[in-house]
Amino acid sequence: MNNLLVYGLTLATFCHCLQLPSSFKKCDKRRSDFNNCLSDVVYNTLKVFDKPLKSHGFPSLRYVEFPPEAVIEIGNRTYGLAQKFSKFRLAGLSQPEDIKTRLDFGPVFSTLTMELSYSKLAWDYEYEGQGTMVLLPLNVITPVECVLYNPTFTFMVKLEEYNKGATYFRVIDFEFDMKEIDRTTINFQQLFTNRRLNDEFNSALSEKGLQTFHIFKHLQVKLTPYFGTIFKSFLEKIPVAELFDE
C-alpha cells in the first residue's frame, strides 16, 4: 500500500546512504541559474516517481495514501453536526504542470520553497457525519471525491546541515499550503439514500466549491506532517554532496 507512513519507514530502514540513479542531475549552487536548474530536477524527479522506483525502495507518488491516523474531526453532534474525514488519498502529486523551486542557503539554516502547479488533483476520503443538517437527522459514512482544478501546492522546508560521516540535511520545520484554486467539485457518493437529493446536493455544493474550500482550508494543517515525512526521510539518507555541486 502506498502509504506516507510506510514510505517514511521504508526509507528509514533502507541503507545508511542511498545512491541516487545515474540519471539524476546535480545543480551547481554557484551558478546564477541554480534555482532554474533545481526546478527542472524536481520536476523530472517527480515524473520518475510516477511509478515505483523499486531499485531504491521508493513507492509511486501518483497515488499517495495517508496513514490511518491522518484524521480531521470538526463539529459537535449535540449542537449540530459532528464530521470526521479520514482515509485520505491524493491522486496526481507526481504529475505537475509546472514547478518553481528556490533554495536559499544560510549560515545556520537553509530554506527550500517549492510551488507545484497542477491542472487537476483529486482528494479521495471517507466522510462520517452524525447529528443534524438543517433539521435533517444524519448518521452516515460515505466515500467522497473532491477534485481541485488548477491548484498550486506550496511546500516550504527549513533545513539544517549536520555531519554523520558526510554532510546531510535535517528537516527542522515544514509548511504546506494549497492555494490558487480555480474551482472544485465535490461528490458525496452516498450521503443521502435518495439519489436525486444526493445528486442535487453535490451539484449545489460544487457551485459553492470555492467558498467551501476557503472555509475549510485551515484544516490542511492536519495533513502537513504527513507530507513532511517524505522530505524528512528522503533527505536523511541523501548526502548533500549527492544533491549539489559546490
Side-chain angles (χ1 to χ4, degrees), residues 36-76:
N36 289 334
C37 175
L38 190 60
S39 297
D40 290 339
V41 167
V42 174
Y43 179 87
N44 292 324
T45 300
L46 281 174
K47 292 297 185 183
V48 170
F49 288 144
D50 193 59
K51 296 180 179 179
L53 190 61
K54 295 181 179 179
S55 61
H56 291 72
F58 293 106
S60 168
L61 292 181
R62 185 166 189 170
Y63 299 103
V64 178
E65 295 183 10
F66 286 64
E69 58 267 30
V71 175
I72 296 175
E73 295 182 277
I74 56 175
N76 186 313

Side-chain angles (χ1 to χ4, degrees), residues 5 31-32 45 59 65 71 78 80 94 98 114 123 133 141 145 156 170 182 184-185 192 213 218 227-228 241:
L5 183 61
R31 293 176 58 94
S32 60
T45 300
E65 295 183 10
V71 175
T78 303
S94 62
D98 186 47
M114 298 189 301
W123 284 101
M133 178 188 292
I141 299 177
E145 182 186 55
M156 182 175 292
R170 176 189 291 118
D182 281 352
T184 181
T185 59
F192 304 109
F213 172 80
H218 68 283
F227 281 113

Side-chain angles (χ1 to χ4, degrees), residues 18 22 39 79 84 117 136-137 140 171 188 190 196 208 228:
L18 292 173
S22 58
S39 297
Y79 301 103
K84 179 180 178 180
S117 299
L136 178 66
V140 65
V171 177
F188 288 80
Q190 301 169 351
R196 179 179 177 181
K208 302 289 186 179

Side-chain angles (χ1 to χ4, degrees), residues 182-241:
D182 281 352
R183 65 186 180 93
T184 181
T185 59
I186 304 174
N187 180 30
F188 288 80
Q189 294 184 21
Q190 301 169 351
L191 188 61
F192 304 109
T193 55
N194 184 308
R195 175 50 56 187
R196 179 179 177 181
L197 176 59
N198 199 82
D199 291 345
E200 290 184 353
F201 176 85
N202 284 326
S203 178
L205 187 58
S206 294
E207 287 180 7
K208 302 289 186 179
L210 282 180
Q211 293 173 253
T212 303
F213 172 80
H214 288 295
I215 290 172
F216 290 96
K217 183 176 180 293
H218 68 283
L219 297 174
Q220 67 189 13
V221 68
K222 298 287 187 179
L223 301 178
T224 298
Y226 305 103
F227 281 113
T229 297
I230 294 178
F231 291 88
K232 180 179 179 181
S233 300
F234 180 82
L235 291 173
E236 283 180 348
K237 298 300 175 183
I238 306 295
V240 173

